[in-house]
Amino acid sequence: MGRNIAKVRQAKSLTQKELAEKAGISLSYLKKIEKGHYKKPHIKTLSIIANALETDLRKLWEEE
């Protein structure tokens, strides 16, 4: 899931810092999610990230 978030973020030309700010989460937390340290982040957090990326939550859940 972290890889999917990173792929979508990069496709939208956002840095990790920009996405973290847009989503209202800490940069360190976003980095850990993208690196896979949190295999299943809370659904609310994922929803916030998906909204910040202007994408469907299901896109973040797709198989990597």
Side-chain angles (χ1 to χ4, degrees):
M1 176 180 324
R3 286 185 187 167
N4 289 343
I5 292 170
K7 285 179 189 176
V8 174
R9 175 182 56 75
Q10 291 165 353
K12 299 206 177 248
S13 300
L14 290 170
T15 65
Q16 287 178 320
K17 183 179 179 184
E18 290 169 332
L19 176 56
E21 288 173 357
K22 196 171 179 182
I25 61 174
S26 72
L27 177 58
S28 62
Y29 185 48
L30 177 61
K31 285 182 177 184
K32 288 177 183 177
I33 291 171
E34 285 192 2
K35 287 183 180 180
H37 293 288
Y38 295 106
K39 298 294 181 192
K40 294 186 180 183
H42 194 277
I43 190 70
K44 187 174 181 179
T45 302
L46 293 176
S47 179
I48 290 168
I49 292 171
N51 286 334
L53 288 170
E54 299 174 355
T55 193
D56 190 86
L57 181 59
R58 289 175 289 193
K59 186 166 186 154
L60 303 182
W61 282 103
E62 292 174 355
E63 286 295 316
E64 297 181 35

